[in-house]
């Protein structure tokens, strides 16, 4: 059953981030590959994407990278499958194909853009996937506060608010992948 899971990772392209975030990425991807889950990512050699690529390759995991043509030359060299798209919008669509779980690791505006677009699709029943946001060291507290503010202001129902889960540790996150 678990072998059918396909995990999509949204994560930082920066190399300046707290190493704890990349250590968490390593632990999650290693555990996922050992359970036979497929991995999907932005597939570049940048930041946490490279960390994901290294771990998946070391564990013999199946890692699909999805990149727009204008990132040619940045693709991670040991992807199991490389998918090229014309635009960033198409990239996000392609990344979501067949996924069971969407995992946002700590990241910047690219990660936030991918996460929010995916959240809206789940909310509108255009995508059936569990969204897990790794709130390590409270990184995503401002986003949680914003969503709570939306609920308080009547902009969002608490049911929709609860479509995103915010596990605070790697263990908690892995427990939510079935
Ligand atoms: P960010 O969170 O701003 O570091 O952006 C990283 C996320 O957005 C990744 O999940 C990528 O899919 C996408 N992305 C945005 N900018 C880049 C970039 N320069 N190189 C690779 N991927 C990027």
């Amino acid at each position: 059953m678990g072998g059918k899971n396909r995990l999509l990772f949204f994560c930082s392209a920066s190399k300046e981030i707290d190493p704890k975030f990349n250590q968490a990425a390593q632990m999650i991807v290693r555990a996922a590959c050992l359970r036979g889950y497929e991995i999907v990512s932005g597939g570049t050699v940048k930041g946490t994407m490279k960390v994901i690529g290294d771990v998946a390759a070391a564990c013999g995991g199946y890692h699909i990278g999805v990149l727009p043509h204008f990132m040619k030359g940045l693709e991670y060299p040991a992807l199991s499958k490389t998918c090229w798209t014309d635009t960033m919008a198409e990239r996000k669509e392609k990344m979501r194909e067949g996924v069971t779980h969407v995992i946002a690791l700590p990241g910047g505006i690219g990660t936030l853009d991918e996460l929010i677009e995916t959240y809206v699709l789940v909310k509108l029943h255009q995508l059936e996937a569990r969204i897990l946001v790794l709130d390590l060291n409270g990184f995503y507290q401002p986003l949680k506060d914003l969503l709570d503010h939306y609920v308080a202001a009547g902009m969002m129902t608490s049911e929709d608010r609860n479509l995103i889960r915010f596990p605070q540790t790697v263990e908690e996150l892995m427990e939510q992948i079935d």
Side-chain angles (χ1 to χ4, degrees), residues 32-49:
C33 290
L34 295 179
R35 289 188 193 179
Y37 301 160
E38 292 183 357
I39 306 295
V40 184
S41 80
T44 75
V45 289
K46 298 264 184 186
T48 307
M49 276 175 280

Side-chain angles (χ1 to χ4, degrees), residues 9-12 17-33 39 47-53 55-56 103-106 134 136 170 173-174:
F9 287 88
F10 298 142
C11 61
S12 175
I17 68 172
D18 185 335
K20 283 200 189 71
F21 296 150
N22 284 331
Q23 283 157 16
Q26 282 172 337
M27 289 162 74
I28 295 167
V29 173
R30 186 177 299 117
C33 290
I39 306 295
T48 307
M49 276 175 280
K50 178 181 187 304
V51 173
I52 290 175
V55 181
I103 299 171
L105 300 172
L134 183 65
L136 195 67
V170 169
L173 185 141
M174 291 309 298

Side-chain angles (χ1 to χ4, degrees), residues 1-2 18 26-27 42 60 62-63 70 79 86 92 94-95 107 109 111 118 138 141 145 160 172 174:
M1 186 69 193
D18 185 335
Q26 282 172 337
M27 289 162 74
Y62 190 79
H63 179 197
F70 72 82
L79 292 167
D86 288 331
K92 287 182 278 186
K94 188 80 189 160
M95 286 171 104
I109 53 167
T111 301
T118 302
Q141 189 61 47
D145 291 344
D160 287 343
E172 249 181 63
M174 291 309 298

